[in-house]
């Protein structure tokens, strides 16, 4: 069916607020990746799931960042106590096999 | 340190010109991707390469594994080609992305 979808597309949060970003991958895709893209930069890896298992979270910048994919499909990236440096586009990608990537449109987070 | 370097960072071309964007990487890879990102953030995969050359319409991508280098060529460029082009490599464990080349094609 449809491609990868993300919601919300835009989020403005006051510093200190918690936010939750959602990713709906392509149905049947085993792998799911989260990336953070700062303005003018390429995406930076945050975390990777294979089904419901979070196999790599080495890119999460701090313990304020948490991601889950409890049923192996939809994933949520949660950022607690947002800071201004968290402002970025958060991209989700899913794939049927690891070396392919199908990207969502991203969520632009602005922390004021 | 950047595992993936792209050049140029910015490129302006006249419609119809032949365009080349270069990507060099420093890690061992199992695949290299060329991605296109339009304003608004959406990313589209153009090519996935592990060797040789691929062509799709006016786009051509080449890779030299020994030299750790890839190029993306656009023939007969058009204003709708204006976008950021990102090179990404997959090491077997992780993706690394270049910072992108911002292309503007002027009518």
């Amino acid at each position: 069916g449809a491609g990868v979808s993300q919601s919300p597309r835009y989020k403005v949060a006051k510093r200190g607020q918690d936010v939750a970003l959602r990713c709906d991958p392509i149905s049947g895709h085993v792998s799911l990746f989260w990336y953070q893209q700062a303005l003018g930069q390429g995406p930076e890896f945050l975390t990777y799931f294979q089904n419901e298992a979070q196999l790599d979270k080495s890119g999460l910048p701090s313990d304020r960042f948490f991601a889950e994919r409890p049923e192996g499909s939809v994933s949520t990236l949660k950022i607690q106590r947002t800071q201004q440096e968290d402002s970025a586009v958060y991209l989700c990608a899913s794939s049927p096999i690891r070396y392919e990537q199908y990207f969502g449109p991203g969520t632009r987070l602005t922390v004021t | 340190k950047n595992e993936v370097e792209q050049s140029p960072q910015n490129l302006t071309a006249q419609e119809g010109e032949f365009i080349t964007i270069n990507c060099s990487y420093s890690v061992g890879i199992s695949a290299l991707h060329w991605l296109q990102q339009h304003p608004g953030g959406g990313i589209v995969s153009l090519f996935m390469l592990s060797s040789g050359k691929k062509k799709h319409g006016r786009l051509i991508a080449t890779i030299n594994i020994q030299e750790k280098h890839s190029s993306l060529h656009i023939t007969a460029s058009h204003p709708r080609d204006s976008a950021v082009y990102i090179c990404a490599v997959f090491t077997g464990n992780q993706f690394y992305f270049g910072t992108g080349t911002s292309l503007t094609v002027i009518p």
Side-chain angles (χ1 to χ4, degrees), chain A residues 40-41, chain B residues 6-13 19-22 83-85 99-105:
Chain A
Q41 300 296 314
Chain B
Q6 286 185 237
S7 64
Q9 279 192 306
N10 296 284
L11 182 56
T12 300
I19 288 161
T20 296
I21 300 170
N22 295 300
V84 174
Y85 292 84
T99 55
T101 295
S102 179
L103 171 66
T104 302
V105 181

Side-chain angles (χ1 to χ4, degrees), chain A residues 4 25-26 29 31-33 69 92-96 100-104:
Chain A
V4 179
I26 293 172
H29 279 194
S31 297
L32 186 145
F33 300 80
R69 194 186 184 197
C92 174
S94 71
S95 67
E100 289 189 353
Q101 298 268 272
Y102 296 82
F103 284 88

